[in-house]
């Protein structure tokens, strides 16, 4: 009889232990429900850009790493008159932006095609780049990109329609 009682207690203890472990196993499921909480972390991966528009006003927006500055202007619906006329096909130079020297060095190499198009940009400086050719990375966080006072669209000049 003592053996039966001992076995019964052993089974009950095992069941309690199993039940306790089973409830512990549900924790990861509960933690999964918090996975929505990672969304803000993803948005934290965005890069902050400060545009200075043609009127000298500062406009702060965010863009995803990999997006070009032209993508950011379009996605944020920024109203920079004439900006990005060729939609990033390196045929206009209307996406001309000016950076400070420190940021300019971080922008990466410039291609011959971009250089050729930049030569036609209005108000060219030593730290000018084309916004459609600059892709965001976290190292560009907080960049300041100045939109020149005026814009020159080489395609209109070629047509003689400017
Ligand atoms: S949008 Fe035309 S060259 Fe960049």
């Amino acid at each position: 009889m003592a053996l039966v009682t001992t076995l019964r207690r052993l089974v009950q203890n095992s069941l309690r232990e199993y039940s306790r472990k089973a409830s512990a196993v549900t924790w990861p499921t509960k933690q999964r429900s918090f996975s929505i909480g990672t969304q803000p972390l993803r948005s934290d991966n965005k890069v902050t850009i400060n545009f200075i528009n043609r009127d000298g006003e500062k406009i702060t927006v965010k863009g995803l790493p990999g997006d070009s500055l032209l993508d950011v202007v379009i996605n944020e619906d920024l109203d920079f008159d004439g900006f990005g006329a060729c939609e990033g096909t390196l045929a206009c130079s209307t996406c001309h932006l000016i950076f400070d020297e420190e940021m300019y060095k971080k922008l990466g190499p410039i291609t011959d095609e971009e250089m050729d198009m930049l030569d036609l940009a209005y108000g060219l400086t030593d730290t000018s780049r084309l916004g459609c050719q600059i892709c965001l990375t976290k190292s560009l966080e907080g960049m300041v990109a100045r939109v020149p006072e005026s814009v020159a669209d080489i395609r209109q000049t070629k047509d003689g329609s400017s």
Side-chain angles (χ1 to χ4, degrees), residues 3-19:
L3 181 64
V4 170
T5 305
T6 303
L7 284 173
R8 193 174 287 158
R9 280 192 187 136
L10 194 63
V11 167
Q12 284 174 343
N13 285 343
S14 294
L15 284 172
R16 257 188 234 122
E17 181 67 18
Y18 175 81
S19 175

Side-chain angles (χ1 to χ4, degrees), residues 63-155:
L64 289 169
D67 280 354
S68 73
L69 288 177
L70 175 61
D71 292 332
V72 174
V73 169
I74 293 167
N75 292 342
E76 294 295 323
D77 201 22
L78 301 180
D79 186 20
F80 302 151
D81 188 36
F83 195 92
C86 79
E87 299 176 350
T89 57
L90 263 181
C92 71
S93 80
T94 60
C95 61
H96 175 206
L97 293 168
I98 300 168
F99 301 88
D100 65 40
E101 210 162 315
E102 188 181 333
M103 185 52 67
Y104 180 80
K105 289 176 186 167
K106 292 182 182 178
L107 297 179
I110 185 166
T111 63
D112 290 343
E113 292 81 8
E114 182 182 352
M115 191 69 92
D116 289 345
M117 199 50 63
L118 257 179
D119 284 340
L120 306 170
Y122 174 86
L124 184 66
T125 72
D126 289 341
T127 58
S128 290
R129 291 289 303 265
L130 294 179
C132 68
Q133 300 302 302
I134 295 168
C135 290
L136 293 177
T137 63
K138 271 312 261 181
S139 68
L140 302 180
E141 172 66 28
M143 68 156 42
V144 177
R146 188 163 59 82
V147 184
E149 288 173 19
S150 190
V151 66
D153 187 347
I154 183 64
R155 299 167 312 155

